[in-house]
Amino acid sequence: GVDLFRLNCSHAAHRLLDDISTIREVEASAGRPIGIVGDLQGPKLRCGILEDTEVVVETGAKFEFDSLHSPGSATRVQLPSEVLEALEPGHVVLVDDGLLRFQVRQVSTTEEGGRVARCWVEHGGVLRSRKGVHAPGVPLRVSALTPKDRKDLDVLLQGGVDWIAMSFVQTASDVEDLRALLPQSVGVISKIETRQALANLDAIIQASDAVMVARGDLGVECAPEKVPFLQKDIISRSMASGKPVIVATQMLESMVRFPVPTRAECTDVANAVLDGCDAVMLSAESAAGSFPHEAISMQASLLREVARQLPKEVAVGVYETMARAAVLVAGDTLPLVCFELDVAQCLSRLRPPTDILFFTDAGGARKATLFRGVTPVEVTRGSTSGLRDLSDRCVV
C-alpha cells in the first residue's frame, strides 16, 4: 500500500487540515507510520483571457504576445510580464503543455511602455483562456515561493506534515529560502522540472533533503526523448549524494480511465526502481482517476515484484566506512538496525539486500517512509524494552 501521501496545494488547498487529519486516522488504523508531503503550487504562468471560449491559431501564421490586459484573439494574447520581459528573438514559447509552439522573431516596446513579442506559429491548434505558458531555457525573474505558497505552508506546518515539495526550483538559493521558513524536522523536496534546475542540479541536490523527478513539466521544458536519460542522471546524482529521489508523473497514466495499465507503463515503473529511485508517485491515477484503488494495488504489486528481482550485490558509491562494513557483515540474512535518521538514510543509499529497521519517534518514522528499504518502527522516547534482545539477532 501507500507509504506517503502527497497533498497537492494546486487543488483543494482549503481542506488541507481535513486531509491531514484523515491520513493520521488511517495511519493509526494501519498501525504503521505514513508520511505526508505538502506539494506547494509555485508560480503559475498563464496566458490571458480570450474574447471567445477558444480560438484556432493557424500553423505558419503570425502571432503576438503583449502586455495588454484586453481579451485576446486568434492573433494575440496577453502574457505575464515575468515571461514577456525575458523573451528575446530566437526564444520558444510553449502554451498548454507544449500543444502550441511559437518562435519569437522580434521584440519591441510600445509607445505606452508595454512590450510586444512578435512570433511565428510553429505548431498551431486550439488556444483557450488562462492556459499554462513555458519558455524553455529562458531564465525568469520569478520567486519560487508565491504569497499563496506561504499561506499554504502555514497550514501544512500547522497540520504537521513531514516533507514540503517545492515547485519551480531554479537555484539552490530557492531551496534555502524555503528552508528558512521550516522547522528542522520538516524536509525539503526539490522538484526538478526546469532547464535552470538541470543546469544547477548538483547544487540543488546538496541544498535539498530529497529530489523529485517531475517528468510532466520536465517533458515540456526538454524534448520528450531526453527525459528518460535526464531521469537516470538525476537519480544517479541524487544517490551519489545520499539524497532520496522520487520519480513522478504518468507512471500508470492509462489507469486514469482503465482498470489495468499498459505493459509499457509497468516497464517504466520497474525501470525507475532498477535505476535506484526511492519512491514512485501516482498523481491523476489516484487523485482524479476512475480506478484509484486498482492503480495503487498495481503499483504496490509492481514494486514487490521488482524487489524480488533486484540483484543482491550492494551498490557501489561514496559512503561511510562503518555503514559499508555493517552492510557487508549483514549479508542477505541479518537485518540492519539503526536509531538515527542520518544513519537510516545512509544505509538506504547503499541499497542492501536485507531489511533496515529504524527505531525512532513518530516524526522520524514518518519522515523515513521516503527512504527505500527502510522499515520505520515507532518507539516511545527513552524506551529500550525488547531492543537489547533484538540486537543479538541483528547488525546494529
Side-chain angles (χ1 to χ4, degrees):
V2 175
D3 295 296
L4 298 96
F5 281 96
R6 165 200 176 228
L7 300 180
N8 187 355
C9 293
S10 297
H11 309 288
H14 62 280
R15 66 165 197 254
L16 286 173
L17 289 178
D18 290 340
D19 289 341
I20 292 171
S21 178
T22 299
I23 294 169
R24 293 306 181 214
E25 291 174 3
V26 171
E27 177 186 59
S29 176
R32 62 179 178 85
I34 296 176
I36 300 179
V37 179
D39 192 348
L40 301 179
Q41 176 178 285
K44 287 297 180 185
L45 303 173
R46 301 181 183 277
C47 67
I49 61 171
L50 300 172
E51 288 181 335
D52 301 315
T53 303
E54 59 184 41
V55 297
V56 176
V57 178
E58 299 291 344
T59 299
K62 295 178 180 179
F63 193 90
E64 293 184 355
F65 293 108
D66 57 42
S67 53
L68 300 176
H69 291 282
S70 56
S73 64
T75 58
R76 63 153 295 273
V77 73
Q78 182 262 343
L79 207 59
S81 60
E82 297 93 338
V83 180
L84 196 57
E85 292 173 3
L87 291 180
E88 299 293 345
H91 286 162
V92 170
V93 177
L94 303 176
V95 180
D96 197 3
D97 287 338
L99 295 181
L100 290 87
R101 181 183 178 98
F102 306 83
Q103 186 180 95
V104 179
R105 293 290 178 86
Q106 181 185 15
V107 179
S108 60
T109 302
T110 66
E111 293 181 358
E112 295 78 15
R115 194 170 170 89
V116 179
R118 295 178 174 85
C119 305
W120 175 69
V121 183
E122 288 190 11
H123 299 296
V126 176
L127 175 62
R128 298 180 178 86
S129 297
R130 305 294 298 161
K131 284 299 180 181
V133 174
H134 289 263
V138 179
L140 302 179
R141 295 180 180 178
V142 180
S143 172
L145 278 175
T146 67
K148 170 180 164 44
D149 291 335
R150 293 175 183 272
K151 291 181 181 179
D152 291 340
L153 184 60
D154 288 340
V155 176
L156 292 168
L157 295 179
Q158 178 187 344
V161 300
D162 309 292
W163 296 88
I164 297 293
M166 189 180 202
S167 301
F168 206 77
V169 176
Q170 297 188 84
T171 66
S173 63
D174 292 332
V175 183
E176 298 301 341
D177 289 344
L178 173 59
R179 189 179 298 283
L181 303 176
L182 301 179
Q184 190 174 0
S185 59
V186 177
V188 177
I189 300 173
S190 291
K191 296 168 68 174
I192 308 301
E193 53 190 347
T194 67
R195 290 190 188 181
Q196 286 71 36
L198 292 171
N200 299 300
L201 183 57
D202 289 333
I204 290 172
I205 291 173
Q206 291 301 321
S208 309
D209 298 300
V211 168
M212 181 187 296
V213 186
R215 304 188 302 181
D217 284 327
L218 194 60
V220 176
E221 283 273 318
C222 305
E225 62 269 21
K226 294 183 180 294
V227 172
F229 304 99
L230 292 172
Q231 173 177 310
K232 290 177 182 292
D233 184 46
I234 295 168
I235 292 174
S236 176
R237 293 204 216 180
S238 298
M239 288 181 63
S241 297
K243 303 297 176 70
V245 58
I246 304 165
V247 174
T249 316
Q250 297 179 332
M251 303 302 295
L252 300 175
E253 182 73 8
S254 66
M255 294 193 73
V256 171
R257 294 182 298 150
F258 302 107
V260 293
T262 67
R263 305 307 177 262
E265 289 167 340
C266 294
T267 302
D268 179 38
V269 173
N271 280 331
V273 179
L274 292 171
D275 286 343
C277 77
D278 289 80
V280 287
M281 190 180 88
L282 296 176
S283 301
E285 301 94 332
S286 55
S290 300
F291 302 95
H293 182 270
E294 289 83 355
I296 293 168
S297 296
M298 175 56 66
Q299 188 89 303
S301 178
L302 282 167
L303 297 180
R304 284 192 293 268
E305 181 61 29
V306 176
R308 281 194 287 268
Q309 301 291 339
L310 283 173
K312 295 297 183 181
E313 65 269 15
V314 177
V316 177
V318 180
Y319 47 78
E320 289 79 355
T321 302
M322 290 181 63
R324 182 179 184 179
V327 171
L328 292 175
V329 169
D332 58 2
T333 56
L334 294 175
L336 292 155
V337 173
C338 59
F339 303 90
E340 298 292 336
L341 188 70
D342 289 346
V343 177
Q345 185 172 343
C346 176
L347 290 171
S348 171
R349 178 176 52 161
L350 305 184
R351 305 293 191 256
T354 188
D355 293 332
I356 304 168
L357 303 180
F358 172 40
F359 291 88
T360 182
D361 58 16
R366 290 165 180 160
K367 197 169 183 181
T369 55
L370 179 55
F371 302 160
R372 177 167 163 176
V374 174
T375 301
V377 181
E378 183 181 341
V379 294
T380 304
R381 185 175 296 276
S383 172
T384 58
S385 176
L387 297 187
R388 186 177 302 278
D389 177 63
L390 178 67
S391 67
D392 294 335
R393 292 175 279 117
C394 306
V395 177
V396 183

